[in-house]
Amino acid sequence: MLGPTAARHAAELVGIRRDLHQHPEVSRAETRTTALLAERLRTAGLDPRPLPGTGLVCDVGPAPGDLVPGPDGVPAPAPGRVALRADLDALPLQDRCGLPWASTVSGVAHACGHDVHTAAVLGAGLVLADLHAEVGLRRGVRLIFQPAEEVQPGGSLDVLAAGGLDGVDEIFAIHCDPKVDVGHIGTRIGPITSASDEVSVTIASPGGHTSRPHLTGDVVYALGQVITQVPAVLGRRLDPRSGVNLTWGAVHAGSAHNAIPSTGTVRGTLRCLDVRAWEFAGQVLHDAVEQVVAPYEVEVTVHHTRGVPPVENDERCTGLLEAAARDVLGPGSVLLTEQSLGGEDFAWYLTKVPGAMARLGTRTPGGRAYDIHQGDLQVDERAIDAGTRLLARVALG
């Protein structure tokens, strides 16, 4: 029953995904995307509810406590809902996919696959709505279309603050993985992503001439020490098994070859595989920066923005995802995946209820393995139907 129902929506979902890809919107500006989803859900007879700002939630099936037929035919109260989450936002990157449905918005692209996540969760909702109309669902499902996954500490906190998880007992999500063949998923029990924080270090001094570095604080030299030494200090002050990684992404200082500038900044990310090490890594970072620049008579300011904890997959929920995949995608469809240093704000939901995230294969078998957060990302669109079936099946229990 699930297969034919999903097949009815497959072509439409590809079209919706292409529409979203052509019209990407950055974090907390997903207005058009939200409106498109709301209209399609209303057409399906559902009642989407907007979240503050952008994004929406939509319930399918019975509410918790409603009487539904039990496995033996005897009416019983429906349990708490299961939630399926999608993220709506695109990245501030130039689209270089070269396809007819490439982004029409300069400097903005769905380079992380959120358009695929959104189409799959929408598809699962449409399939479940059809099944509820035909045979009735024994358990309610909440679709969560979340804004702002790509900014710290993440739009999932906005959803939680708005009560988006009220009445939900467990939650599931997918994330595109262009290293895994379409029709397969990658799972693991426990942490599947890392904690991810934003770090900015600003150094200041009066500045001066490069011929007289002894008369001022040498901002550029001090920045160089921060760039090279602080990651090394963290590697010696924190348990190496915690997978702490500080990588710089941007450095700005000065504009002339013969002038010592008065300010300079370096920015990067602090990532950690272990949530316990993450809890005190920030203080070690502050101490390390101050100690490294102390000999150079400069002023230093450290901005450490706590981001997201690791996504920690619940053992039971991971098993449910794997069983659902084997049922709808095939017995060989489940792969063990590694823990990555990427951050994902789905982690905040898992601090409230158990759940799991699976990596959804998007690579054409034998084809190129793309990377996410790159403008040339391409996905095998059969992944949309695979994600739809997987999420609908796990929601059915």
Side-chain angles (χ1 to χ4, degrees):
M1 183 180 298
L2 177 58
T5 306
R8 291 202 300 264
H9 296 286
E12 179 193 10
L13 293 171
V14 169
I16 289 173
R17 181 259 165 171
R18 293 180 180 184
D19 183 290
L20 296 176
H21 196 91
Q22 284 185 298
H23 303 94
E25 296 170 303
V26 294
S27 301
R28 297 199 169 90
E30 309 94 334
T31 306
R32 181 185 183 277
T33 303
T34 301
L36 184 154
L37 294 168
E39 178 59 28
R40 182 61 186 92
L41 292 166
R42 282 192 291 265
T43 300
L46 301 173
D47 184 24
R49 304 189 303 279
L51 292 166
T54 53
L56 58 87
V57 298
C58 185
D59 294 333
V60 184
D66 286 355
L67 290 180
V68 298
D72 55 1
V74 178
R81 293 185 175 95
V82 56
L84 306 176
R85 174 270 204 169
D87 35 13
L88 305 181
D89 52 331
L91 286 160
L93 294 172
Q94 188 63 38
D95 193 335
R96 296 183 285 107
C97 74
L99 296 169
W101 51 90
S103 172
T104 61
V105 183
S106 179
V108 183
H110 270 296
C112 196
H114 293 188
D115 50 344
V116 174
H117 308 165
T118 299
V121 171
L122 173 63
L126 297 178
V127 168
L128 293 166
D130 289 349
L131 294 177
H132 186 56
E134 294 168 8
V135 299
L137 300 180
R138 293 196 179 102
R139 185 182 191 184
V141 180
R142 175 162 297 163
L143 312 175
I144 298 176
F145 294 97
Q146 174 210 303
E149 189 276 331
E150 294 290 356
V151 296
Q152 303 282 30
S156 59
L157 293 178
D158 301 340
V159 177
L160 292 172
L165 221 57
D166 293 352
V168 169
D169 285 348
E170 56 191 18
I171 187 168
F172 297 93
I174 54 174
H175 195 293
C176 288
D177 189 337
K179 301 184 299 297
V180 174
D181 284 352
V182 67
H184 295 75
I185 66 167
T187 63
R188 69 179 295 116
I189 297 168
I192 193 172
T193 67
S194 77
S196 177
D197 299 346
E198 293 182 4
V199 175
S200 176
V201 178
T202 299
I203 293 176
S205 81
H209 199 286
T210 56
S211 65
R212 295 181 287 277
H214 58 293
L215 299 181
T216 188
D218 190 335
V219 165
V220 174
Y221 192 85
L223 276 178
Q225 303 309 302
V226 170
I227 291 168
T228 58
Q229 292 191 39
V230 172
V233 172
L234 291 177
R236 290 297 178 268
R237 292 281 305 278
L238 296 169
D239 189 333
R241 293 172 297 180
S242 65
V244 174
N245 179 273
L246 175 60
T247 298
W248 306 111
V251 58
H252 302 281
S255 58
H257 72 279
N258 59 351
I260 296 174
S262 59
T263 62
T265 300
V266 61
R267 297 171 56 227
T269 55
L270 174 64
R271 301 177 187 271
C272 188
L273 297 176
D274 180 76
V275 68
R276 285 151 290 280
W278 179 61
E279 291 170 353
F280 59 88
Q283 187 57 54
V284 177
L285 169 72
H286 278 78
D287 293 345
V289 171
E290 292 177 357
Q291 292 164 10
V292 164
V293 303
Y296 304 111
E297 297 184 346
V298 294
E299 296 180 3
V300 62
T301 303
V302 180
H303 292 287
H304 174 213
T305 303
R306 291 293 292 268
V308 295
V311 171
E312 295 210 40
N313 280 349
D314 174 76
E315 181 176 2
R316 174 181 171 275
C317 293
T318 302
L320 293 174
L321 267 177
E322 292 175 349
R326 292 187 178 104
D327 184 36
V328 299
L329 302 180
S333 61
V334 178
L335 308 173
L336 176 64
T337 190
E338 75 282 355
Q339 183 181 3
S340 82
L341 278 170
E344 234 293 350
D345 77 347
F346 184 70
W348 291 120
Y349 298 116
L350 301 185
T351 66
K352 305 298 181 182
V353 297
M357 169 177 278
R359 297 202 169 109
L360 180 71
T362 62
R363 180 176 63 191
T364 300
R368 173 183 165 185
Y370 290 88
D371 199 3
I372 57 174
H373 287 226
Q374 298 297 312
D376 64 348
L377 174 68
Q378 294 187 28
V379 303
D380 188 316
E381 291 180 314
R382 290 175 293 178
I384 300 167
D385 183 60
T388 294
R389 293 170 189 253
L390 173 70
L391 293 171
R393 182 65 185 86
V394 79
L396 289 171

